[in-house]
Amino acid sequence: QVQVVESGGGLVQTGGSLRLSCEASGRAFTRGTMGWFRQAPGKEQEFVAALRWEDGLTFYADSVKSRFTISGDNARDAVYLQMTNLKPEDTAVYSCAAHTERLVISLLRVGENYDYWGQGTQVTVSS
C-alpha cells in the first residue's frame, strides 16, 4: 500500500520560514516525479514545485521562485520544501504528490497527473 505523508506545516509570521517534508512508501519512485501543490480556501489547487528524480531537475511556480526550494533524498523517496520570506498569500493547505514515472514539464504542473497524494499540511502566514 502506497503512503505519502507530509509534515512540517504551522503558523509563521510574514517573512518567516518553514520546511515541509514528504515521504512516500510502498512503491519505488526513484525514476518518478514528486511535487508540491497548495490550495487556499475558496481557490483552486495550485502547483508549487516539483522534483524529477531521473534528471534531478526542479520546477517552480513563478509565485514562489527564489523563495521556495525543493530538494530530495532519493534513497528515502522523500522531498522537502524549504519556504523562506513567507507571505500571507502563501497561506494554504500544502499537499505532496508522487508519480512513479518521469513527467514532462507540461504535465508535472497539473495535479491530476500524479498517482498518489498525502493528506496535506496547513501553512498559515500571519501579517
Side-chain angles (χ1 to χ4, degrees):
Q1 181 181 358
V2 176
Q3 282 192 314
V4 178
V5 180
E6 308 101 333
S7 61
L11 174 65
V12 65
Q13 291 185 333
T14 296
S17 300
L18 279 176
R19 185 176 187 247
L20 305 183
S21 300
C22 169
E23 288 199 34
S25 61
R27 190 163 181 180
F29 293 93
T30 52
R31 297 186 62 184
T33 307
M34 293 184 75
W36 287 97
F37 291 78
R38 66 186 183 186
Q39 188 165 19
K43 295 189 176 181
E44 293 188 353
Q45 185 184 68
E46 177 187 22
F47 168 76
V48 177
L51 169 66
R52 215 160 55 184
W53 289 119
E54 192 176 55
D55 51 21
L57 292 180
T58 58
F59 306 87
Y60 297 93
D62 288 343
S63 59
V64 306
K65 201 174 293 183
S66 80
R67 298 189 298 122
F68 291 10
T69 302
I70 187 171
S71 60
D73 182 343
N74 201 320
R76 299 175 62 187
D77 280 335
V79 290
Y80 310 98
L81 187 67
Q82 179 67 48
M83 305 184 293
T84 63
N85 191 21
L86 283 160
K87 305 174 181 180
E89 52 263 43
D90 294 318
T91 294
V93 174
Y94 285 69
S95 297
C96 179
H99 185 71
T100 54
E101 300 295 328
R102 174 182 180 273
L103 287 171
V104 297
I105 295 174
S106 60
L107 297 182
L108 57 79
R109 296 176 182 268
V110 179
E112 66 183 24
N113 294 315
Y114 290 79
D115 300 312
Y116 305 101
W117 289 81
Q119 79 286 354
T121 185
Q122 177 71 44
V123 171
T124 303
V125 185
S126 63
S127 57

